[in-house]
Amino acid sequence: MADQKALDNTCINTIRFLCADAVQKANSGHPGTPMGAASMVYVLWDRFLKHNPANPAWPDRDRFVLSAGHASMLLYSMLHLTGYDMPMEELKNFRQWGSRTPGHPEYHLASGVEVTTGPLGQGFANGVGMAVAESWLAGNFNRAGHGIVDHYVYVLCSDGDLQEGVSSEAASLAGTLRLGKLIYLYDKNGIQIEGSTDVNFRENVGARFDAYGWQVIGPIDGFDLVAVDAAIRRAQSETQRPSLIICNTIIGYGSPQQGTAKVHGEPLGEEGLRAAKETLGWPQEPAFYVPKEASSHMRQALQRGKKAESEWQERMNAYSRDCPDLAAQLEAQIKGVLPEGWDKELEGLFPAGSKPIATRSASGKALNTLAKRVTWLVGGSADLAGSTKTIIEGRGDFCAEDHSGNNMHFGVREHAMGSMANGMALHGGVIPYTATFLVFSDYMRPPMRLAALMKQRVVYVFTHDSIGVGEDGPTHQPVEHIMSLRAVPNLTVIRPSDATETAEAWKAALKNAEGPTALMLTRQNLPVLDRSEVAPANGLHRGGYVLWESAKGTPALIIIGTGSEVHFALEAGKQLASEGIKVRVVSLPSWEMFDKQPKKYREDVLPSAVKARVAVEAGVKVGWEHYLGAEGAVVGLESFGASAPGNIVSEKLGVTKENVVAAAKSLLGKA
Ligand SMILES: Cc1ncc(C[n+]2csc(CCOP(=O)(O)OP(=O)(O)O)c2C)c(N)n1
């Protein structure tokens, strides 16, 4: 018993000083939280976490999310000590160019890092999304006697995480949905950058979470290993409610700066580090010291992990015998492989002569068509399902009573919706989609940015994509949104011009396994282009294509349009052609996809010799120089919209066919 206590203590101090030494060596970073939270994270990883460091991708592993990403060294130390591919040199290279140990954990850099964290609150909500994916897969694939999807999601969160609104949104939904596999450890150290949380955070967090429908455990002493152990056991035994374990800790424990904001984000300093080692009875030298007994104890995770995974593999083998189709399906989903012929039924969905239809409605049809084969599309909207057309018919709701439905109801919680979608994508086994009005994409930019950074396949349905929204007025009319989302690296923005392009856009979104895709769709009806008269809609997969031209060969004028404005471009083009101008109309639904095309293709579509270029888009003009050069003209917006019927707003603000014609004539000197 005494030996075990001493061993635990040695392991915990090993973790603490790996973190403190690394921060000291880097001369930057956050030593305080790792030193305070090491004991509870040790208990979790040593006694509960089901994982296999030798196979970090084992699908039924527990997930561990470090929501307080600034405490990254804590995670790196755990990965190193438990036998992941995280060598000591990486710890010594913390925060250096080319290392796998950046300032905040980055998903792609090290196996065992389940998610990129750093922006506070995100990890909290990502965990909720992971639990959605876990319980959806369990609901759809587990069979009597075959519990093949069955794991927990553990999250370490901090005061800052719980101050961010996104964690409240996600917690409220997690409680409502009864995601009982969530176990959150709250490192309540009462300190943040500006000092004590007493100045800005006096609420009763436990009472708040209780009201959300969580099981609240504690406050307990986060340094009391027995108490942490008991709390996690209690959390595991609650199957309906998510659990929040409130752990009182001391930031920077053991250092002279303990309990102060100074130790949050600054190295301890030579003197502070020396004193901390003395206080906790740790050898001064060498730095990065890992006692043999700590190493061999913590590396037992490898044996435990191997055993746990092979037991699961046996269960999986039995499942494959008894339910071969389900097993094959589950494996394909986990790999993210789309089924044979997944996109076949999209063809001919909108034949020539179809009635005018809003692209949001076309999107709803495309989604429902795809979902017949891609049965693991799971998502929904922030209370705008009817407007965004994102219900998958016949697939039921994901709700407290039933976790097997595909239709999520996120409530008016755009931010958590985006973050949960990231967690779902990272968990794997499902393809998440979200939906709201384009103007409210502002409420979900932080997770969209992270999805792009982490290269996750998430589909964002953004409807009501312009001033064409009309009567709801400027609060609901996006103006700067299309362009500003194009500015996010690795986010693919697609603004289809009609129903046929919309079907292709969905196809492109599912094909894009290397990042998120945002679909920008209209509220208002648009004609379905007759593809026997204009180029086929599959040109969308090249981002931009020649939709129509008055004659072959180099044109005198190019008109570029996106989305609903392609129709103005086309009408203007035809009028100008009737006046004898050799004109080409380009549909450019996706800048990102077009820019990835070979130079020759781009040159074929937009020959550099043709300087007379007009772009038309119901959004801000800034950025169009990219395709227009200095000499082109944009028909776009310079102000917010207004409340009136959509066609009137467009007319008053000048986004019209007439203005495209006028801009073109002026460029050609024919005004
Ligand atoms: C969204 C967001 N805003 C601001 C920051 C900058 N930041 C990093 S840590 C921190 C203080 C967090 O305090 P707490 O969560 O209590 O962490 P602790 O002091 O316990 O390490 C802040 C403001 C951030 N990482 N994310």
Side-chain angles (χ1 to χ4, degrees), residues 33 70 118-120 158-161 164 189 191-193 251 264:
T33 301
H70 57 278
L120 289 164
S158 62
D159 292 307
D161 283 307
E164 285 291 353
N189 61 30
I191 289 292
Q192 55 192 114
I193 293 175
I251 194 167
H264 160 91

Side-chain angles (χ1 to χ4, degrees), residues 240-522:
Q240 297 287 302
R241 291 177 297 167
S243 294
L244 181 74
I245 304 172
I246 303 177
C247 302
N248 286 329
T249 68
I250 299 168
I251 194 167
Y253 179 75
S255 71
Q257 303 97 317
Q258 74 168 29
T260 71
K262 216 172 152 35
V263 74
H264 160 91
E266 281 175 42
L268 298 182
E270 297 290 344
E271 188 48 34
L273 188 55
R274 196 195 54 71
K277 287 182 176 174
E278 195 173 305
T279 302
L280 296 179
W282 201 247
Q284 295 294 337
E285 296 290 336
F288 297 93
Y289 174 49
V290 180
K292 275 210 172 60
E293 66 269 30
S295 174
S296 58
H297 178 69
M298 292 189 69
R299 287 178 73 89
Q300 284 174 14
L302 283 162
Q303 278 79 52
R304 282 199 305 271
K306 193 172 164 195
K307 183 163 175 283
E309 186 180 348
S310 67
E311 285 167 5
W312 175 81
Q313 192 57 57
E314 274 171 31
R315 290 200 300 280
M316 194 64 195
N317 294 345
Y319 182 67
S320 299
R321 266 195 316 273
D322 293 355
C323 322
D325 293 348
L326 281 175
Q329 175 69 26
L330 177 61
E331 271 169 27
Q333 287 183 206
I334 287 168
K335 285 193 192 125
V337 181
L338 297 168
E340 195 68 36
W342 62 276
D343 56 349
K344 241 175 52 195
E345 282 154 50
L346 283 181
E347 265 162 48
L349 199 57
F350 303 105
S354 297
K355 281 205 311 259
I357 177 174
T359 51
R360 64 174 164 147
S361 302
S363 162
K365 286 196 171 170
L367 167 63
N368 271 277
T369 304
L370 286 168
K372 282 185 211 152
R373 283 177 193 238
V374 189
T375 51
W376 33 299
L377 274 160
V378 180
S381 78
D383 200 37
L384 286 169
S387 304
T388 57
K389 313 286 182 198
T390 40
I391 293 289
I392 301 176
E393 301 298 338
R395 286 295 295 143
D397 289 341
F398 184 99
C399 57
E401 293 72 28
D402 181 2
H403 287 171
S404 69
N406 292 52
N407 292 297
M408 305 275 308
H409 299 278
F410 290 98
V412 192
R413 301 184 182 96
E414 293 84 358
H415 195 171
M417 174 169 70
S419 311
M420 285 171 62
N422 288 352
M424 291 162 71
L426 289 160
H427 181 281
V430 298
I431 300 178
Y433 66 92
T434 69
T436 185
F437 293 160
L438 177 57
V439 80
F440 303 136
S441 60
D442 285 341
Y443 278 58
M444 49 191 292
R445 290 189 67 111
M448 291 173 73
R449 179 173 198 274
L450 287 164
L453 183 59
M454 293 188 281
K455 303 188 174 160
Q456 291 303 297
R457 175 163 55 186
V458 179
V459 185
Y460 306 112
V461 173
F462 289 126
T463 65
H464 298 59
D465 72 345
S466 76
I467 49 172
V469 165
E471 292 85 344
D472 271 342
T475 57
H476 283 51
Q477 293 166 346
V479 168
E480 72 279 28
H481 299 75
I482 306 169
M483 200 56 89
S484 69
L485 288 172
R486 285 184 185 131
V488 180
N490 199 40
L491 170 65
T492 301
V493 172
I494 311 183
R495 190 165 184 250
S497 65
D498 75 342
T500 50
E501 270 192 20
T502 305
E504 299 297 335
W506 259 104
K507 199 159 137 181
L510 291 200
K511 269 189 179 167
N512 178 15
E514 283 299 305
T517 304
L519 306 178
M520 319 245 148
L521 307 164
T522 65

Side-chain angles (χ1 to χ4, degrees), residues 557 575-576 579 581 614 660-671:
L557 168 79
Q575 179 179 328
L576 290 161
E579 294 172 27
I581 296 166
V614 182
V660 176
V661 170
K665 287 187 174 170
S666 146
L667 281 183
L668 295 169
K670 296 187 178 171

